[in-house]
Amino acid sequence: MVEGGFEVAVRLPMSLGESPVWSAQSQTLYWVDINRGHIYAWQPASGEPPDRFDLEEQVGCVALCEDGLLAALASGIERLTFPLGSRRVRLADNPEWRAGGGNRFNDGRCDPSGRFWVGTLAADEATPSAALYCLTDGELTQRRSAITIANGLAFSPDRQWLYHADSPTRRIMRYPFDVSTGTMGDAEVWVDLDRHDLPGVPDGAAVDSDGNYWCALYGGSQIVKFAADGRWLESHALPCPDPTMVAFGGADLRTLYVTTATQHLDDTGLERYPLAGSLFSMPVTTPGLPEPVVA
Ligand code: BGC
Ligand code: CA
């Protein structure tokens, strides 16, 4: 385990920081606090603190659009126009949401063809009642079911593979992926944390330009780097137990940003990990891939 690589980029007391996404166009990092329904926007080069936009409901993730962001709120997917909130258009309802309850949207990302993929999270975080969806041409279709906590969505740089993790299984799956049609082939177990004796569960991830998969281990206090063939390469420690997702950003895409959570810490935990809930960063040598924009 490599210690000391990560520093606090923005000190925050987020409940469930998630979904960091870098816009190369505006040199802005976006991310959310799912539980509080907040979207953050931050230009590291500005020297200013982040802006925060408050929605009235939980927001699982965001993706980049031409003139704004796509946001997967608990109840459905909306397109938010810049300046954030100036215009909101509902694109699709969450089929697993019922007035005030049900399975909210969780991890999501845009594929290299501009389709938006997003999974849900079982309300009890225990029953496999959640699913994985794809939004194309305004239509939301279910692609996989029997999931408990959908996480870890990413695409290999050669566009041949879709990665996905159902967190409680502690496994990361990969599916042969046809980028022209958006079709997924049969699942194969790509990484099993049990076999590597790694702690926590696989949460959010990002792939670098060499095809390495960088994954946050929620409950495992670390970011792990796996090679394209599934080999463990490196672990980087964080000063808090629950990192949630990573993104490459910065002018050269050589800064790795990580969001973290405090939602599972009690008073003792909060005292012990005073930086939990912050945004962290670490320089890396291999750059990330530019994040695609939703078509
Ligand atoms: C979910 C959290 C969950 C975590 C670990 C995240 O994607 O939003 O609620 O605790 O994954 O499974
Ligand atoms: Ca997640």
Side-chain angles (χ1 to χ4, degrees):
M1 172 100 84
V2 184
E3 305 278 345
F6 281 107
E7 283 182 4
V8 173
V10 182
R11 185 154 182 184
L12 290 167
M14 289 190 288
S15 171
L16 182 51
E18 271 280 8
S19 187
V21 181
W22 177 258
S23 164
Q25 200 200 329
S26 63
Q27 297 286 299
T28 303
L29 187 76
Y30 298 97
W31 70 92
V32 303
D33 182 335
I34 296 183
N35 293 341
R36 301 202 176 113
H38 295 161
I39 299 178
Y40 288 89
W42 182 50
Q43 292 184 302
S46 72
E48 300 287 326
D51 285 331
R52 204 183 80 193
F53 177 65
D54 297 0
L55 298 150
E56 307 78 54
E57 65 175 88
Q58 291 178 306
V59 54
C61 60
V62 288
L64 306 174
C65 299
E66 276 312 330
D67 55 352
L69 296 176
L70 209 71
L73 306 184
S75 65
I77 301 170
E78 289 187 10
R79 188 173 159 157
L80 313 177
T81 308
F82 293 137
L84 280 181
S86 56
R87 205 166 104 90
R88 287 173 65 163
V89 178
R90 174 70 54 134
L91 301 180
D93 290 328
N94 174 356
E96 298 175 31
W97 191 253
R98 278 152 211 89
N103 299 345
R104 65 162 169 82
F105 277 128
N106 196 46
D107 183 82
R109 108 167 318 129
C110 183
D111 78 15
S113 279
R115 302 177 194 91
F116 179 63
W117 294 75
V118 62
T120 49
L121 169 144
D124 63 1
E125 300 198 15
T127 321
S129 61
L132 175 66
Y133 298 87
C134 180
L135 180 73
T136 338
D137 303 324
E139 210 185 310
L140 190 71
T141 49
Q142 193 188 92
R143 297 307 188 84
R144 286 294 181 277
S145 58
I147 291 169
T148 304
I149 302 182
N151 266 317
L153 260 176
F155 299 88
S156 61
D158 62 9
R159 304 168 171 209
Q160 301 285 309
W161 300 100
L162 179 156
Y163 298 101
H164 196 244
D166 184 359
S167 294
T169 66
R170 301 205 343 117
R171 287 163 157 188
I172 306 166
M173 313 300 279
R174 69 173 188 180
Y175 300 81
F177 182 60
D178 183 334
V179 73
S180 58
T181 58
T183 318
M184 296 161 74
D186 291 339
E188 101 189 21
V189 180
W190 180 62
V191 166
D192 185 339
L193 296 189
D194 286 347
R195 279 200 210 126
H196 298 277
D197 211 12
L198 286 164
V201 298
D203 201 340
V207 168
D208 69 24
S209 52
D210 282 344
N212 302 305
Y213 183 95
W214 295 72
C215 178
L217 296 189
Y218 192 98
S221 309
Q222 62 193 283
I223 303 303
V224 198
K225 179 186 178 184
F226 296 104
D229 61 6
R231 261 176 316 128
W232 172 91
L233 294 177
E234 295 164 15
S235 282
H236 298 267
L238 277 151
C240 59
D242 302 327
T244 55
M245 191 174 173
V246 299
F248 294 91
D252 53 6
L253 294 179
R254 283 196 173 90
T255 303
L256 189 70
Y257 289 104
V258 180
T259 46
T260 63
T262 54
Q263 63 173 3
H264 289 132
L265 298 179
D266 58 13
D267 288 346
T268 319
L270 291 171
E271 228 166 88
R272 186 161 163 207
Y273 307 107
L275 300 176
S278 295
L279 176 79
F280 293 83
S281 68
M282 176 178 81
V284 291
T285 38
T286 306
L289 298 165
E291 195 61 27
V293 174
V294 176

